Amino acid sequence: MPELPEVETVVRGIAPLIEGRVIAKAQVFNSKLRIEIPEALAKQVKNQKIIKVSRKAKYILIELEEGEFLIIHLGMSGRLRVYPNSENYKRAKHDHLVITLNDSLMVFNDTRRFGLVTLLREDEFADFKFFKKLGLEPLSRKFNSVQLFKITQARNKSIKSVIMDSSIVVGVGNIYASESLFSAGIHPERIASDLSKKEATKLYKAIVDTLERAIEAGGSTLRDYAKPDGKAGYFQHQFLVYDRLDKPCAKCSKSISQIRQNGRSTYFCGHCQSFFFKSR
DNA sequence: CTATCCACCTGGCGGC
DNA sequence: TGCCGCCAGGTGGATA
């Protein structure tokens, strides 16, 4: 999916276009996503003004005037696109939800249907299964080098799986995990509890820096993902290791390696990311 | 607690 | 051209 930078890009992209607008109509064309879109959703959002768009982990929250939140998760292949002029929209394959805002339109398209759309009141957040185990927001104050060191100290599993664990820290997916570990010079298979304080600090900085640079670039566009205006993000051009098997490392020009961890591809430089402890 | 595998689903790509 | 297996920004759940 869209990881944190892509979701943040979507939020920033749609906010100025839909905040303050009124939902004239909502149409559900296929409710069978990761969880079923509630049958009553279309009727419930109708005629409500959109107050604010925000992000929680990889979830997009669209606050409505009557206190409900339209919750959208993009899964692996979800897109949220706004057409400022609804005349320019023609329904396409996998357009599951279309929200009409008078003259403009917002469309949720999701090829693989791993995404999710639902409607919650704020008092229902705590009971919502997918919100229950969310860890720290990586771009918040609560996530810092002291915390990350505390976390790594307590985990006897690979550092990559730790930073990708959404119950620990949210938003770091498969791309940004590889990229952050490369930037920090840490081998993805290192056991988290073996990291030194210095390494944890370096990793903390690398994660924040990587996510922030990716947001600045409008996220990464590989296949399905696109910004709400339909244009591609640019961060994929700045990948240092992800999807760069056998290509030269930007630092040492040796070949980038690919391994599989927990069923996911991991890319790294075997030279720059030493498996062994280094205090530097 | 951890690793592993599975499920959900569609489609693009490379190989034969 | 066609079919087959593998792969893909996620993530909860079952199992050992």
Side-chain angles (χ1 to χ4, degrees):
Chain A
M1 143 196 203
E3 303 182 32
L4 186 148
E6 290 73 35
V7 178
E8 183 64 29
T9 298
V10 169
V11 166
R12 293 183 187 185
I14 66 173
L17 301 175
I18 70 169
E19 283 178 357
R21 315 297 287 272
V22 174
I23 297 175
K25 185 168 63 168
Q27 296 163 284
V28 174
F29 294 103
N30 187 349
S31 62
K32 292 187 174 9
L33 304 181
R34 178 134 200 255
I35 57 171
E36 186 101 14
I37 298 179
E39 186 140 9
L41 183 142
K43 203 166 270 180
Q44 280 176 276
V45 302
K46 189 175 165 153
N47 295 326
Q48 286 208 56
K49 186 195 273 191
I50 293 170
I51 304 299
K52 193 168 172 49
V53 183
S54 59
R55 177 186 61 74
K56 179 182 179 69
K58 294 176 188 166
Y59 296 85
I60 297 160
L61 311 187
I62 301 176
E63 184 182 359
L64 305 178
E65 62 180 333
E66 287 172 26
E68 290 157 314
F69 289 77
L70 186 59
I71 315 282
I72 299 177
H73 190 286
L74 302 176
M76 286 282 258
S77 55
R79 295 183 189 205
L80 203 51
R81 189 156 173 199
V82 174
Y83 294 79
N85 181 352
S86 52
E87 314 258 305
N88 296 337
Y89 169 72
K90 243 188 280 170
R91 187 146 73 90
K93 204 172 180 182
H94 309 304
D95 283 353
H96 307 310
L97 172 71
V98 174
I99 290 179
T100 306
L101 310 157
N102 298 324
D103 51 339
S104 64
L105 267 176
M106 182 167 74
V107 181
F108 175 71
N109 176 290
D110 185 4
T111 305
R112 293 176 72 183
R113 286 188 279 121
F114 290 168
L116 160 173
V117 174
T118 196
L119 193 65
L120 294 179
R121 293 187 313 273
E122 199 159 12
D123 62 14
E124 293 173 315
F125 280 19
D127 281 332
F128 185 51
K129 184 170 74 175
F130 301 99
F131 283 178
K132 277 195 169 166
K133 291 191 204 161
L134 293 181
L136 301 171
E137 284 288 342
L139 301 181
S140 75
R141 275 258 154 76
K142 290 185 179 173
F143 184 67
N144 53 54
S145 56
V146 173
Q147 273 307 310
L148 184 59
F149 186 54
K150 217 175 260 180
I151 289 161
T152 57
Q153 283 291 290
R155 309 282 162 156
N156 287 313
K157 58 175 180 176
S158 76
I159 186 61
K160 187 195 181 212
S161 62
V162 168
I163 62 175
M164 282 185 70
D165 183 340
S166 66
S167 69
I168 297 173
V169 52
V170 300
V172 181
N174 205 37
I175 293 178
Y176 300 109
S178 281
E179 292 295 311
S180 300
L181 286 163
F182 173 78
S183 291
I186 296 168
H187 193 290
E189 287 178 304
R190 287 277 301 279
I191 298 301
S193 58
D194 290 345
L195 294 201
S196 66
K197 178 93 197 284
K198 208 172 241 183
E199 287 175 316
T201 299
K202 214 168 175 191
L203 181 56
Y204 157 72
K205 289 180 179 160
I207 290 170
V208 173
D209 179 65
T210 303
L211 294 177
E212 285 181 343
R213 284 190 301 111
I215 291 170
E216 254 172 65
S220 307
T221 296
L222 269 57
R223 295 163 205 82
D224 307 304
Y225 170 77
K227 295 192 287 174
D229 59 7
K231 293 180 181 151
Y234 291 109
F235 196 71
Q236 65 278 10
H237 303 304
Q238 296 177 50
F239 286 170
L240 298 173
V241 289
Y242 186 82
D243 205 19
R244 289 180 46 79
L245 176 63
D246 294 337
K247 300 218 168 94
C249 167
K251 286 187 198 164
C252 74
S253 70
K254 290 193 164 54
S255 292
I256 298 301
S257 308
Q258 178 185 21
I259 54 171
R260 196 153 272 270
Q261 288 179 283
N262 310 317
R264 316 290 306 270
S265 278
T266 302
Y267 298 86
F268 67 100
C269 171
H271 179 71
C272 295
Q273 294 166 263
S274 169
F275 189 80
F276 300 103
F277 176 83
K278 272 192 206 163
S279 59
R280 61 180 165 105

